Amino acid sequence: MAKKRSGGGLTGTQQAAKFLGVSVLSGAVLAGIALPAAGALGLAAKGTVEGFDEIPSNLKTPPLSQRTTILDSEGGLIATVYSRDRKVVPLDKISPYVQKALVAIEDARFYEHGAIDLKGVLRAINKNAQSGGVSEGASTLTQQYVKNVFVEEAGDDPEKVAQATQQTIGRKVRELKYAIQVEEELGKKKILENYLNITFFGQQAYGIEAAAQRYFSKPASKLTLPESAMMAGLVQSPSRYDPINDIEEATKRRNVVLQRMADVGDISQQEADEAKATKIKLKVKTPKNGCITAVDGAGFFCDYVRKTVLNDPVFGKTSEERQKLWNLGGLTIRTTLDPKAQAAANEAAVAKVNKDDGVATAVVQVKPGTGRILSMSQSRPYGLDQKQHQTTLNLAVGSKMGGTTYGFPVGSTFKPITAAAALEKGLSPAQSFDTPWKISMKESDFTRCDGKPSGYAEWSVQNELKSEKGAFDMTSALGKSINTYFAKLEQMAGLCETLTMAKKVGYERELGKPIRQSPSATLGSLESTPLDMANVYATFANRGIYCVPVVIDSVKAANGDKLNVPQTKCTRAMSDRTADTINQMLKGVVEDGTGTRAGLSDRDNAGKTGTTEGRKDAWFVGYTPDLSTAVWVGDDVGKRDEMYDITIGGEYYEKVCGGCLPGPIWRIAMTGALGDDAPSFVDVKVPRAEKPKDPKKDKPDADDKPRGDDKPADKPVSPLPGITLPDLTGGGDSRPGHGRGNR
């Protein structure tokens, strides 16, 4: 029967063990047990006592790494992620058979001795002396636990793991010192509980609960005698006795454990024999780990959550602290993801673009006035299998958060920013310019924020179609996406003022790069991300107030403590009157402008199309008062091909445009995500030019037809077969000093 302590003191055996640990094991006895040839290994007992005295008195037991659970805004599971699959459970949630089996096979006198088993030490010394080598060790279960603590603390660092397991006298002495302290502070039951939760059981399972689920698909509390014996047998060598890979070896080892349990009196011989006759019946549960398991295509959203924890200082001052928090796990992260919106975004992302197409699409949605990211999806599935066209590149965000280096040129979706800057400067929406389809302007007429000219070259700007000429006011120019108008409007509003407005509404370049102060900015030559553009337009929907995007609502640690999370910060970027005016003008884009294919018929909505040079990118960014969605389509790999004469999602496009592909995708995403409530924009009267000329009496934008007769003016056709003519029109808004057809 086990000897128990009374009043918290040490038993006679424990006191003897402590004495032995301090004196005898400080010298050559330890070397005799663990290191039969200490001298040959260059290890001497000299100085060991001094080293013992220098060991810190407090054992720092690291919290055990566990699974992190990522939830949506309603508490539904998005994904489970972990560096080590473990779920810590109390001893009363672990089958008594497991507890007895482990003690029987690993340390049968566990309840009788202290940190060191005196009888075991003497027995090991005798056997090792007789064999001339190490035929038997003397580590108690407590010492094994201490060793596991150091291994756990080392994590996946090979150097630290080697230090934690190196066969040196110094490490053995340190282990013993800590084992003595653990015995005094924790007691036997807590040591056993901690041991069963920290130990590796093979198949990526750490701790008895994860192992029980892995091998038998049941909790540790429900393990039977034969199952418990098998589990206890794994501890010595999880790979050798792995029942999944070698059922015969696992059975032999299990039977050894069962016999040992009978020998020490934990079970009867009859119980042992009956259990031995039972075949091991596995019910293996494959673990689901990582963002690749996320529901409704939310892998990219899940990864954005991970990146937030790893990058935001609220989770730790240094990157090392944040990485340690993530690896430690055990977190319950409740996010801003709206399951209805995510399902709609995922449906939209794959509705018009196939995963194996040469181009991809990204869809991201935010809630105006909150910064809350509601959904994030794309046409290529999240994962590492390129043969299945999977990717981990998040096309909705920049490189810091797992996306592209800078994002993508945004095309004409930038034009409302110029309009907002002009309105803030006091210009009227009725401001009219009468221009030909192509104009030339001096870069020196545009002033940077440092007061210097933006350049000294000529800037050639042209519209998409030669028929797009004449007089336009701000409303008609937005509706038809007139480049020449916005070049002149930017000049009047001011280049610096325009770029300052861009920064206020969240138009950022990644990696801390400043916005390039080039006149072509008004035509969308600079890169941004779909997430940033969704937030830009959410600012218009929120009547001029920009809110920093957020993705996490709350985080609970494994012990139930609430952690601080990033909070949105809202700032006014423009007057509510300016935003209301932009909203009314952009309503025209979806009602009778370039975005008619995207428009929603049952509620107020607004938006803007955009394409870039060579139609390498196509955009639609639009919103209602309560939802903003950005859709991008383009080549996400390779050389960024132009989207002319291309089949996407099984449909042929002579030329891809913002209204003909991203627009319908946007409509699907919005329709599925919106609820029954249909709030309206604030109705304001938008002044118009007295007699704005309308150069096109039919459909306002031939560009929005997937098949049409109007070839872009900037796409010359070579008269010589097999020879490509250089572009001599002076266009190209992705280069400083140039601008061309952006829809």
Side-chain angles (χ1 to χ4, degrees):
M1 185 173 178
K3 297 179 182 178
K4 298 182 180 178
R5 295 177 292 175
S6 60
L10 297 177
T11 65
T13 305
Q14 290 171 328
Q15 290 174 352
K18 183 173 183 179
F19 173 78
L20 181 63
V22 175
S23 57
V24 181
L25 285 183
S26 296
V29 173
L30 179 61
I33 297 170
L35 302 167
L41 293 173
L43 301 173
K46 183 180 179 180
T48 306
V49 174
E50 291 83 351
F52 187 94
D53 292 336
E54 294 170 2
I55 294 174
S57 60
N58 293 325
L59 173 62
K60 296 180 180 179
T61 304
L64 302 182
S65 58
Q66 301 183 63
R67 305 169 188 168
T68 284
T69 304
I70 302 177
L71 307 174
D72 62 35
S73 61
E74 297 180 358
L77 179 66
I78 296 175
T80 301
V81 299
Y82 52 82
S83 57
R84 292 186 174 179
D85 185 15
R86 176 190 281 119
K87 182 179 181 182
V88 175
V89 292
L91 198 61
D92 61 8
K93 297 294 184 182
I94 301 173
S95 169
Y97 286 129
V98 172
Q99 300 176 41
K100 292 178 180 179
L102 181 72
V103 171
I105 195 64
E106 291 296 322
D107 187 0
R109 299 183 62 256
F110 173 62
Y111 291 104
E112 299 174 28
H113 59 67
I116 182 170
D117 182 2
L118 180 57
K119 291 182 179 179
V121 168
L122 297 176
R123 184 180 63 250
I125 292 173
N126 183 47
K127 284 197 173 183
N128 291 345
Q130 292 177 1
S131 67
V134 180
S135 62
E136 183 171 322
S139 291
T140 64
L141 193 148
T142 304
Q143 289 172 279
Q144 292 180 43
Y145 165 66
V146 170
K147 180 180 178 180
N148 279 335
V149 168
F150 290 123
V151 173
E152 174 74 16
E153 195 171 33
D156 296 324
D157 188 323
E159 186 175 336
K160 290 183 178 179
V161 171
Q163 291 175 358
T165 57
Q166 60 185 336
Q167 291 295 318
T168 64
I169 295 177
R171 183 186 70 78
K172 287 287 186 180
V173 172
R174 183 179 66 161
E175 252 180 37
L176 177 59
K177 163 74 173 182
Y178 289 157
I180 293 170
Q181 183 178 343
V182 164
E183 285 274 347
E184 292 176 345
E185 294 184 0
L186 299 185
K188 294 295 187 179
K189 286 189 176 182
K190 189 63 177 178
I191 291 170
L192 181 59
E193 176 184 301
N194 288 359
Y195 186 98
L196 285 166
N197 278 302
I198 199 172
T199 299
F200 179 55
F201 287 89
Q203 289 291 323
Q204 299 181 322
Y206 289 81
I208 188 64
E209 180 68 17
Q213 293 289 350
R214 187 66 48 85
Y215 294 112
F216 298 109
S217 298
K218 64 169 64 173
S221 62
K222 301 295 184 182
L223 291 173
T224 64
L225 172 59
E227 292 167 347
S228 297
M230 191 209 82
M231 294 294 227
L234 285 169
V235 172
Q236 186 182 87
S237 180
S239 58
R240 178 180 176 183
Y241 302 123
D242 183 351
I244 295 176
N245 296 325
D246 195 333
I247 195 70
E248 185 176 343
E249 277 296 306
T251 302
K252 289 179 181 179
R253 177 63 177 170
R254 181 202 65 178
N255 292 346
V256 169
V257 175
L258 289 167
Q259 187 57 52
R260 182 61 174 163
M261 292 178 73
D263 292 343
V264 299
D266 285 332
I267 59 175
S268 67
Q269 187 61 53
Q270 182 179 350
E271 287 176 307
D273 292 340
E274 290 175 354
K276 289 178 187 178
T278 303
K279 289 185 177 180
I280 295 177
K281 296 180 180 179
L282 300 176
K283 188 177 180 182
V284 179
K285 180 185 292 184
T286 303
K288 293 184 177 181
N289 177 31
C291 292
I292 195 171
T293 66
V295 299
D296 284 330
F300 299 99
F301 183 96
C302 171
D303 192 62
Y304 187 87
V305 172
R306 180 180 71 90
K307 289 287 188 180
T308 299
V309 174
L310 294 178
N311 285 287
D312 199 297
V314 75
F315 294 110
K317 293 181 179 180
T318 66
S319 59
E320 289 78 13
E321 289 179 11
R322 298 188 291 270
Q323 185 69 59
K324 186 176 181 179
L325 174 66
W326 183 259
N327 289 342
L328 181 62
L331 307 175
T332 300
I333 304 176
R334 191 145 182 166
T335 71
T336 61
L337 183 137
D338 181 288
K340 182 179 179 182
Q342 179 61 36
N346 191 51
E347 177 189 359
V350 299
K352 299 283 185 179
V353 183
N354 296 334
K355 67 178 183 179
D356 57 350
D357 283 336
V359 300
T361 187
V363 181
V364 61
Q365 298 178 302
V366 299
K367 186 171 181 62
T370 67
R372 295 168 63 83
I373 303 172
L374 303 184
S375 71
M376 194 177 285
S377 193
Q378 57 194 58
S379 56
R380 301 202 198 280
Y382 183 88
L384 298 172
D385 190 347
Q386 294 184 355
K387 293 181 179 179
Q388 296 298 318
H389 307 283
Q390 296 176 353
T391 182
T392 58
L393 183 69
N394 190 339
L395 301 173
V397 301
S399 57
K400 183 179 180 181
M401 300 302 287
T404 59
T405 303
Y406 296 119
F408 307 98
V410 300
S412 290
T413 60
F414 190 95
K415 287 172 181 172
I417 298 175
T418 305
L423 294 175
E424 286 290 284
K425 194 169 185 178
L427 298 178
S428 169
Q431 175 66 51
S432 177
F433 297 116
D434 193 346
T435 68
W437 78 277
K438 181 178 180 180
I439 61 174
S440 182
M441 305 179 73
K442 295 181 181 295
E443 288 182 342
S444 58
D445 290 337
F446 296 83
T447 305
R448 300 185 322 201
C449 291
D450 60 5
K452 297 179 181 180
S454 68
Y456 298 95
E458 289 289 318
W459 180 34
S460 179
V461 183
Q462 66 187 46
N463 297 326
E464 173 70 13
L465 304 173
K466 288 186 177 181
S467 58
E468 293 172 335
K469 57 186 177 181
F472 300 90
D473 63 6
M474 201 178 296
T475 299
S476 60
L478 275 171
K480 296 175 174 59
S481 204
I482 304 300
N483 292 336
T484 53
Y485 178 92
F486 277 93
K488 286 182 170 290
L489 185 66
E490 180 188 44
Q491 182 184 31
M492 186 173 286
L495 174 60
C496 180
E497 289 83 349
T498 299
L499 297 180
T500 299
M501 175 58 70
K503 189 171 183 179
K504 286 182 178 180
V505 297
Y507 184 96
E508 299 280 359
R509 292 197 76 201
E510 290 297 312
L511 303 177
K513 298 291 184 181
I515 299 175
R516 180 164 46 83
Q517 298 185 48
S518 167
S520 63
T522 191
L523 305 183
S525 63
L526 305 182
E527 304 95 341
S528 190
T529 66
L531 176 58
D532 283 346
M533 293 308 295
N535 269 290
V536 168
Y537 280 59
T539 304
F540 298 137
N542 194 34
R543 304 193 69 201
I545 298 177
Y546 167 75
C547 295
V548 175
V550 290
V551 73
I552 296 175
D553 277 339
S554 65
V555 176
K556 281 186 179 180
N559 62 3
D561 289 347
K562 289 186 177 181
L563 305 184
N564 291 329
V565 299
Q567 302 291 327
T568 190
K569 181 180 179 182
C570 298
T571 55
R572 182 163 288 283
M574 67 191 76
S575 69
D576 52 10
R577 176 74 185 191
T578 292
D580 293 340
T581 302
I582 295 291
N583 294 338
Q584 293 300 319
M585 289 191 292
L586 291 183
K587 280 177 64 178
V589 175
V590 297
E591 290 172 354
D592 57 9
T594 59
T596 52
R597 295 188 184 189
L600 307 174
S601 60
D602 62 340
R603 65 189 68 215
D604 274 3
N605 62 113
K608 184 71 187 74
T609 58
T611 56
T612 61
E613 180 188 7
R615 299 182 184 267
K616 294 178 180 179
D617 307 273
W619 293 77
F620 190 90
V621 188
Y623 57 100
T624 61
D626 54 350
L627 182 63
S628 177
T629 301
V631 177
W632 168 87
V633 176
D635 187 352
D636 58 327
V637 294
K639 58 182 180 180
R640 303 268 295 139
D641 288 335
E642 299 180 348
M643 291 188 288
Y644 288 100
D645 300 319
I646 187 172
T647 298
I648 302 174
E651 183 174 355
Y652 172 76
Y653 295 85
E654 184 177 0
K655 53 182 181 179
V656 172
C657 56
C660 61
L661 182 53
I665 294 173
W666 178 89
R667 184 187 180 99
I668 294 171
M670 292 290 286
T671 301
L674 289 166
D676 295 332
D677 292 338
S680 301
F681 295 124
V682 174
D683 191 18
V684 296
K685 183 175 178 58
V686 179
R688 300 295 303 269
E690 289 185 6
K691 292 182 179 180
K693 296 180 181 179
D694 189 353
K696 291 176 70 67
K697 298 296 184 182
D698 52 352
K699 285 289 183 182
D701 188 7
D703 176 44
D704 282 341
K705 289 183 281 190
R707 302 175 183 83
D709 299 327
D710 241 341
K711 278 282 186 182
D714 58 356
K715 178 84 171 172
V717 179
S718 172
L720 302 176
I723 299 178
T724 302
L725 291 179
D727 182 2
L728 303 176
T729 62
D733 68 350
S734 63
R735 299 189 299 272
H738 294 80
R740 79 192 323 168
N742 290 316
R743 290 294 183 183

